Amino acid sequence: MDKIEHQTVATNGINMHIASIGTGPVILFLHGFPELWYSWRHQLLSLSSLGYRCIAPDLRGYGDTDAPKNVREYTIFHIVGDLVGLIDSLGIDKVFLVGHDWGATVAWYFCLLRPDRIKALVNMSVVFQPRNPHKSSVQISRELFGDDFYICRFQEPGEVEEDFAQMDTASIITRFLTSRDPKPPCIPKEVGFRGIPDNPNLPSWLSEKDINYYAGKFNQTGFTGGLNYYRCLDLNWELMAAWTGLQIKVPVKFIVGDVDLTYHIPGVKEYISKGGLKKYVPFLQEVVVMEGVAHFLNQEKPEEVSEHIYDFIKKF
């Protein structure tokens, strides 16, 4: 880990912290919520040893990267703009892109908006959902799961932060990272996030040191930056109108665990297996469903995930 280099890059009006290691073709790794560059620690080490330059930023609002105060500065255009500015600053023309969770959503949009900068994409957990011209994803979530669904609960600025403030940060991180409940997460207000079962024993793939690294950073920054991504979902939907119906035209490999809550959202399995995803991602070349693996697959099964990434990108 001490071979990983850290630097700050000015991009798109913010200062972005990046972790990087290795030389060769560039792989850009995008983390999710509530995470950091650190979620890719295993992949940075293994793929750099195979001849790649691996770069994992703290995304806007996270860790040691700036967190603008204005909620409206967390649209998909801001986030993709940060990443285009980052690779421009580093003098990089094209990258292999790897995303997970919110990082996967950002990666889909990066490929939609700037396919000229992407050689190939390995995306995890979150499928590409084409824009519904009539309803935003928040509206659809509310209709499917009700107001207690976590995405709906995250919408009101300050509300979830207040809930989180009553809990130990390490406990919040542990609850998220170790959850293996594939049901859609619904959090009634009266119960709050304290109601998510706490796992007293960490799994073998997650150490106290790992939890403390995340907790240390989130203690400094709070969770608002990451939550603002959810709060811009409706705004993204409005701003993306001109891209309705557009396909993603880069080579893609998609990986998901069969215990991942995203895989159990009604209709997702069928969307993947019956050609729905392929319709909107025509250059989808491989789909991998990892047996017995939950949401944070890049940390739970680091060697396999690194191997899956390498097996795909070495073709290009």
Side-chain angles (χ1 to χ4, degrees):
M1 287 286 281
D2 54 2
K3 292 198 170 67
I4 295 173
E5 295 176 358
H6 296 268
Q7 69 184 105
T8 301
V9 178
T11 169
N12 194 25
I14 63 167
N15 292 310
M16 176 172 263
H17 163 252
I18 64 168
S20 63
I21 183 171
T23 55
V26 175
I27 311 174
L28 182 62
F29 294 90
L30 308 180
H31 68 78
F33 177 88
E35 299 179 81
L36 301 161
W37 74 269
Y38 189 83
S39 295
W40 298 110
R41 60 197 178 280
H42 304 295
Q43 287 74 34
L44 291 180
L45 296 175
S46 57
L47 287 153
S48 63
S49 74
L50 294 168
Y52 291 90
R53 181 182 178 189
C54 298
I55 300 173
D58 283 335
L59 294 176
R60 173 181 289 241
Y62 285 94
D64 295 320
T65 292
D66 288 350
K69 292 279 183 274
N70 187 345
V71 177
R72 296 172 71 87
E73 288 181 30
Y74 289 82
T75 71
I76 212 70
F77 291 95
H78 290 88
I79 314 299
V80 173
D82 296 343
L83 298 169
V84 171
L86 170 66
I87 60 175
D88 283 348
S89 297
L90 298 173
I92 298 162
D93 181 32
K94 289 189 169 198
V95 298
F96 290 112
L97 196 57
V98 177
H100 169 254
D101 187 79
W102 251 108
T105 300
V106 173
W108 291 125
Y109 281 108
F110 197 157
C111 293
L112 196 67
L113 299 169
R114 292 303 303 270
D116 58 306
R117 307 303 296 270
I118 310 298
K119 292 180 190 173
L121 166 67
V122 178
N123 235 2
M124 300 176 209
S125 294
V126 179
V127 292
F128 176 68
Q129 293 285 6
R131 182 182 182 275
N132 181 318
H134 310 293
K135 289 176 188 172
S136 78
S137 60
V138 178
Q139 282 175 280
I140 294 166
S141 295
R142 214 179 284 280
E143 286 171 14
L144 270 176
F145 307 115
D147 292 338
D148 290 340
F149 187 54
Y150 78 106
I151 287 174
C152 305
R153 285 288 320 278
F154 284 174
Q155 293 304 306
E156 190 56 46
E159 193 179 281
V160 171
E161 288 91 332
E162 210 170 288
D163 195 349
F164 283 174
Q166 296 170 46
M167 298 166 68
D168 174 58
T169 305
S171 163
I172 296 168
I173 299 294
T174 304
R175 280 173 158 94
F176 272 99
L177 295 187
T178 62
S179 171
R180 301 188 75 77
D181 186 352
K183 293 196 298 293
C186 291
I187 320 288
K189 275 187 193 180
E190 56 277 11
V191 177
F193 282 81
R194 292 178 305 290
I196 299 174
D198 199 2
N199 191 339
N201 302 311
L202 290 178
S204 60
W205 52 269
L206 198 61
S207 69
E208 287 286 345
K209 186 181 162 204
D210 298 331
I211 294 293
N212 291 338
Y213 185 85
Y214 287 108
K217 294 298 179 187
F218 280 100
N219 275 332
Q220 289 168 19
T221 62
F223 290 89
T224 301
L227 291 166
N228 283 344
Y229 286 55
Y230 295 92
R231 292 165 185 159
C232 278
L233 282 168
D234 279 343
L235 183 54
N236 288 337
W237 178 75
E238 288 175 30
L239 296 173
M240 287 297 298
W243 287 267
T244 303
L246 202 63
Q247 292 175 312
I248 287 184
K249 294 282 187 74
V250 305
V252 174
K253 178 174 186 171
F254 182 73
I255 311 171
V256 66
D258 70 355
V259 192
D260 192 324
L261 58 93
T262 62
Y263 191 56
H264 291 267
I265 289 172
V268 167
K269 284 183 198 175
E270 296 72 21
Y271 176 67
I272 294 170
S273 64
K274 294 186 175 166
L277 182 59
K278 179 84 172 167
K279 180 182 169 188
Y280 293 100
V281 186
F283 304 144
L284 178 67
Q285 296 184 13
E286 291 178 59
V287 172
V288 177
V289 181
M290 296 178 74
E291 203 176 317
V293 180
H295 184 63
F296 295 93
L297 68 176
N298 50 333
Q299 299 187 69
E300 184 181 339
K301 295 286 180 190
E303 293 86 3
E304 287 101 310
V305 166
S306 294
E307 212 168 287
H308 278 307
I309 296 168
Y310 179 64
D311 284 347
F312 187 62
I313 66 174
K314 72 181 182 188
K315 301 174 185 175
F316 299 94

